[in-house]
Amino acid sequence: MLALSNIFSQIPSELKEEFFQELISKDGFKIERIISKGHVTQDGEWYDQKSDEWVVVLKGEAILEFENSDKVRLKDGDYINIPAHKKHRVSWTKPDVETIWLAIHY
Amino acid sequence: MLALSNIFSQIPSELKEEFFQELISKDGFKIERIISKGHVTQDGEWYDQKSDEWVVVLKGEAILEFENSDKVRLKDGDYINIPAHKKHRVSWTKPDVETIWLAIHY
């Protein structure tokens, strides 16, 4: 029997920091679940990734900021493709509920 | 500005067949959205894929059947990893609502 898991289950009860969980990883490809609760990328820090990233918010709400100051608000089901080296940061996530992201690095 | 889309939006109003939509494709890697409404894999047919597939049901409900007759029922948020060449088919999907899948072939 293949293992079945649920993307909305097993949420840590305390989230002092953003929670990163690798679900699948192979040859530079990675699927991860990210859980935020009011967490943001540290001031002045940017993600500058060598892989493309496709990301979807499955629950909650967040704002992604890009280096040209574009801001994109994501809620349930919203997805966006972030090309490699497109600098970005999480500038806001909903403070009172968990925001659950699925991020595919490819 | 990067393009924002929603995984739960733009559902075809008529679904005569299962609906496959490629969201991202690169070097044998693919993210696709699948929408089913009572659709199943044709009788006696099996998917036998050369890539691994990670699949999550985001809305609705479905049953995946494997060649050893294992059956796995998936509902909102359930995900499973299907290794390459693990023969499988969709033996049931909820008839009255759309089942929305996200499938990552890697």
Side-chain angles (χ1 to χ4, degrees):
Chain A
M1 176 70 80
L2 300 178
L4 187 69
S5 306
N6 191 286
I7 206 84
F8 303 120
S9 301
Q10 294 181 289
I11 307 286
S13 56
E14 262 197 272
L15 283 168
K16 292 193 178 168
E17 299 181 337
E18 209 161 32
F19 178 76
F20 292 85
Q21 181 186 13
E22 188 176 286
L23 304 181
I24 294 281
S25 177
K26 191 177 87 173
D27 307 333
F29 162 83
K30 187 169 71 175
I31 301 179
E32 65 180 354
R33 178 170 77 149
I34 305 166
I35 307 176
S36 323
K37 196 173 177 181
H39 304 101
V40 299
T41 310
Q42 233 180 312
D43 248 9
E45 286 211 3
W46 295 89
Y47 291 107
D48 182 0
Q49 299 169 156
K50 62 176 196 282
S51 303
D52 294 336
E53 178 181 0
W54 184 92
V55 68
V56 59
V57 164
L58 295 179
K59 269 193 186 168
E61 218 169 316
I63 295 176
L64 279 177
E65 181 183 354
F66 295 89
E67 57 176 337
N68 59 358
S69 3
D70 275 346
K71 287 189 180 188
V72 176
R73 190 178 194 112
L74 298 102
K75 48 186 172 30
D76 298 25
D78 285 338
Y79 64 86
I80 194 167
N81 192 56
I82 306 171
H85 298 299
K86 176 84 181 173
K87 286 189 190 169
H88 61 282
R89 56 191 303 279
V90 178
S91 63
W92 179 84
T93 58
K94 219 170 180 178
D96 50 338
V97 297
E98 288 86 6
T99 292
I100 300 180
W101 314 69
L102 191 66
I104 323 284
H105 303 267
Y106 65 97
Chain B
M1 177 70 81
L2 300 178
L4 186 70
S5 306
N6 191 287
I7 206 85
F8 302 121
S9 300
Q10 295 181 288
I11 309 284
S13 56
E14 263 196 272
L15 284 168
K16 292 192 180 167
E17 300 182 336
E18 210 160 31
F19 178 76
F20 292 84
Q21 180 187 13
E22 189 176 286
L23 304 181
I24 294 282
S25 177
K26 191 176 88 174
D27 307 334
F29 162 82
K30 187 169 72 175
I31 301 180
E32 65 181 353
R33 178 170 79 148
I34 304 166
I35 307 175
S36 323
K37 196 172 177 181
H39 304 101
V40 298
T41 310
Q42 233 180 314
D43 247 9
E45 286 209 6
W46 296 88
Y47 291 107
D48 182 359
Q49 300 168 157
K50 63 175 195 284
S51 302
D52 293 337
E53 178 181 0
W54 185 91
V55 69
V56 59
V57 165
L58 296 178
K59 271 194 184 167
E61 218 169 316
I63 295 176
L64 278 178
E65 182 183 354
F66 296 90
E67 57 177 337
N68 59 356
S69 9
D70 275 346
K71 288 188 180 188
V72 176
R73 190 179 193 110
L74 300 102
K75 48 184 172 31
D76 299 23
D78 284 339
Y79 64 87
I80 194 167
N81 191 54
I82 307 171
H85 298 298
K86 177 83 181 173
K87 286 188 191 170
H88 62 283
R89 55 192 304 279
V90 178
S91 63
W92 179 83
T93 57
K94 219 170 180 181
D96 50 339
V97 296
E98 287 86 5
T99 292
I100 299 180
W101 312 70
L102 191 65
I104 322 284
H105 303 268
Y106 65 96

